[in-house]
Amino acid sequence: MRSTRTGKPGKDGIPKTLAEAREMIRTVEPHLFEWPTAFDRYVQDLWNAPEADGQTAAARLGSWYQGLMKQTGLVADALQKRCLHIAATICGDAYGLAGHADKAAWVSAAEGARMLGIRAERIVDAVRTGVMNGRLARSGAGHQHTIVSRSDIETTRVLRSLMLDKKRARELLGVGRSQFELLLEAHVVAPVDVDVRHPCVDGSFDRDDLTRTVTVIRKNLALAGAIEEPMLAFRDLSLRKTTDKKALLTVFRAIKSGTIQARCFDSEQRLGDALFSEKEISELLAAQGAPSGMTAGEVAQITGWRPECVTHWCAEGLIVSTHGRVGGANAWLIAPADLAQFQREYLVLADVAEQGQTTSRALISRLARQGISTVGAQAVGRTTRGHLLHVTHVAHLMQLSERLEHAAG
């Protein structure tokens, strides 16, 4: 509202003292306290000023209008709304009127964007492509002006409330991020096709569609049995339950189709809270070939070996294993048959030393004198651990011992 020595409105500096602040506020005080009369009069004075040129609010009100439209907050919203109202209904903004008799039924793209909380360009594109009912026009200065039906803005507002992003969709279902991605892969839930999605709507998932899916699962409730059985919550159906993703996806599809029915799923509960028969889930996982492999940690717990040694042997290919994920972490999976094969081919030198009441280092020295080397060792600092002795070397040592005894005899 004030011009500096350069003559440019809106370039006044920030007040540095209380007196300067009072001086600055004194200019705008009447427009706020004599609301809205003084403000309306100021807008009309700017519109009718001799230097004002053009047919639209942006052109005639100039930099003051542009600065006002950049402000945010409750006060700014009230000022902006009132300014647009005066420009369109009293001053005769061609942009605001746009040749429509029922001016109350139309809003500018900028106003509609503020109502929806989006960028005005998105509404302009929607009008241009015919998705929203509106009108495009250009002023003599070449500026493009867009108005849109207020009813379309309200319809879009409803659509935006119905469409959810991934985070809100997960909250609605009561599932985690990883499980939601599995549900997408299993086609239990699906995003709205981008080709039919409204350009002014942000979310990808239809809340009503998700609700219908959950309602169908809730209606497929199995009759409670006479014998109480272990239950498993839907949210626990993840790769922590099984490492076989293909089998898990089959379980999700079976739940959606009603092949597997919930045992307990109240109306106020989310999908993640639904309870299913643990036995029924396990049977389906087994039928789909869910692996019975053990992790390196489980093998170490059973055998007494160090977990890091088992992991190293897997990485070296000495134990036949597969690399997968358990509980969200990478892990080596070892089938019982492959563990048995490993134990048939190798002896863990630490176990042999313990049985012989000696040390691994002493055994390594004795084997070296016979020209026998261990395999599978892992360097740890200045030492090594995880030495393995192939069973063929044991047979060689036995034959050598027999020859020495025969020679001595």
Side-chain angles (χ1 to χ4, degrees), residues 102-289:
D102 187 10
K103 294 180 285 293
W106 302 88
V107 294
S108 68
E111 177 69 11
R114 279 191 292 273
M115 293 168 65
L116 297 177
I118 61 176
R119 292 180 295 107
E121 291 83 354
R122 296 176 66 178
I123 293 182
V124 174
D125 290 338
V127 172
R128 181 185 298 112
T129 56
V131 177
M132 298 182 74
N133 181 24
R135 176 176 172 178
L136 301 172
R138 287 192 177 275
S139 67
H143 298 293
Q144 179 174 273
H145 307 299
T146 307
I147 62 169
V148 63
S149 168
R150 187 181 295 274
S151 62
D152 274 20
I153 293 293
E154 293 303 320
T155 299
T156 305
R157 189 202 300 274
V158 174
L159 285 176
R160 286 177 61 82
S161 68
L162 294 177
M163 297 299 292
L164 311 177
D165 58 15
K166 280 189 174 182
K167 180 180 179 181
R168 294 172 61 196
R170 293 197 304 266
E171 292 173 351
L172 177 67
L173 297 176
V175 300
R177 182 181 288 105
S178 298
Q179 191 178 36
F180 187 79
E181 294 300 327
L182 292 173
L183 293 177
L184 282 172
E185 192 171 345
H187 302 293
V188 174
V189 298
V192 176
D193 192 287
V194 67
D195 294 331
V196 300
R197 199 179 306 163
H198 196 287
C200 295
V201 172
D202 298 323
S204 303
F205 298 90
D206 188 327
R207 185 178 65 184
D208 289 344
D209 187 47
L210 295 177
T211 302
R212 282 191 293 270
T213 299
V214 174
T215 300
V216 170
I217 295 174
R218 182 180 286 113
K219 287 183 177 179
N220 288 330
L221 194 65
L223 297 176
I227 302 177
E228 189 173 332
E229 57 178 324
M231 296 294 177
L232 189 67
F234 185 89
R235 65 168 54 89
D236 295 328
L237 292 174
S238 65
L239 292 177
R240 296 185 179 185
K241 177 65 177 177
T242 174
T243 58
D244 191 338
K245 185 170 74 170
K246 180 180 177 181
L248 190 58
L249 297 181
T250 301
V251 170
F252 288 144
R253 296 187 189 104
I255 290 175
K256 181 179 181 180
S257 65
T259 305
I260 292 182
Q261 299 175 326
R263 294 295 195 270
C264 181
F265 193 6
D266 295 336
S267 58
E268 66 274 8
Q269 290 180 317
R270 297 181 295 177
L271 179 59
D273 302 320
L275 298 179
F276 295 83
S277 167
E278 185 173 4
K279 177 182 178 182
E280 192 173 5
I281 296 293
S282 300
E283 288 177 349
L284 183 55
L285 290 175
Q288 293 298 317

